[in-house]
Amino acid sequence: MASPLPSSAAGASVLDLTPVLPVVVVRDADDAVPLARALVAGGLPAIEVTLRTPAALDAVRRISAEVPEAVVGAGTVITPEQVTACVAAGARFLVSPGWTDGLLAAMRASGVPFLPGVSTATEVVALLERGVREMKFFPAQAAGGTAYLRSLVGPLPQARFCPTGGVGPDNAPEYLSLPNVGCVGGSWMVPAEAVAARDWGRVEELARSAAALADGAGGSATPGVRAADGTCR
């Protein structure tokens, strides 16, 4: 099965890969491959491995090498050095909880799509000024949730978001129904107890339910890659 995001697709959009982007914390690199395979089998081919554990880079490397159907990316990227390390490990996209000009420059130079994090209108405008239109909205619920994102549609219609933080199966459809939301990020389909027990069947089942959430969201989030002008931002 071919990966939905070509390795050279600097202009492809992470937001359109899948309605739900699994945000994964890998504590044991040996779990990375079976975990990724379960998510892909459940219909979630894009996977964000967060840089929150010492095993994270090895997890990215193993998924990249052994699960070609997956589009593995790295999250919680906060330094230019991490950008370099993640891309070297095989990350196909990058996600940050926030951004600085230095981090943004490194992400642009990486050659892979990226989503810098924002939580205020000022940050959104600052990124738009720099030619960036696609962003992570974090922490979504704490920063105002769907009401806040809905309020940005009128003045900032060119901005698109992946809300992450406090997003789960109960509120994901509401987020996905917004015209400025391309996908949502969450970890409910990879519960810690299931990963610890290596219950990959449960992960696959939860992933399948998550992938179906767009069906109840008015169809605003549609899997598949679209072309974006310039880098995926």
Side-chain angles (χ1 to χ4, degrees):
M1 175 179 176
S3 165
L5 180 61
S7 60
S8 61
S13 173
V14 177
L15 296 184
D16 294 325
L17 285 174
T18 178
V20 177
L21 179 64
V23 180
V24 176
V25 178
V26 179
R27 304 192 182 280
D28 185 341
D30 288 341
D31 293 335
V33 168
L35 175 60
R37 286 175 176 158
L39 290 170
V40 170
L44 300 180
I47 303 167
E48 176 189 335
V49 177
T50 65
L51 301 185
R52 300 181 189 177
T53 70
L57 282 177
D58 196 18
V60 170
R61 190 175 295 108
R62 293 193 189 190
I63 294 171
S64 177
E66 300 181 44
V67 192
E69 316 95 287
V71 180
V72 62
T76 324
V77 178
I78 59 173
T79 70
E81 292 77 16
Q82 288 178 330
V83 169
T84 300
C86 290
V87 174
R92 306 285 293 281
F93 63 90
L94 304 169
V95 184
S96 67
W99 65 278
T100 65
D101 281 322
L103 178 60
L104 189 65
M107 295 174 90
R108 281 191 191 278
S110 71
V112 302
F114 58 91
L115 296 174
V118 297
S119 61
T120 68
T122 298
E123 292 170 313
V124 175
V125 171
L127 283 177
L128 290 174
E129 186 178 78
R130 290 159 172 79
V132 176
R133 296 185 181 182
E134 299 187 349
M135 313 164 195
K136 173 179 179 174
F137 180 56
F138 175 82
Q141 282 294 96
T146 55
Y148 190 88
L149 284 175
R150 190 177 293 112
S151 72
L152 296 182
V153 174
L156 302 171
Q158 63 272 58
R160 295 179 74 221
F161 303 95
C162 173
T164 305
V167 179
D170 294 333
N171 60 8
E174 184 179 0
Y175 278 103
L176 290 169
S177 71
L178 299 176
N180 57 350
V181 169
C183 68
V184 299
S187 57
W188 73 88
M189 74 296 298
V190 285
E193 65 274 13
V195 176
R198 293 182 166 88
D199 188 349
W200 310 128
R202 184 182 176 202
V203 171
E204 180 179 340
E205 180 182 353
L206 291 170
R208 186 169 291 108
S209 296
L213 287 174
D215 295 338
S220 64
T222 304
V225 176
R226 71 173 180 83
D229 52 341
T231 58
C232 173
R233 298 170 294 242

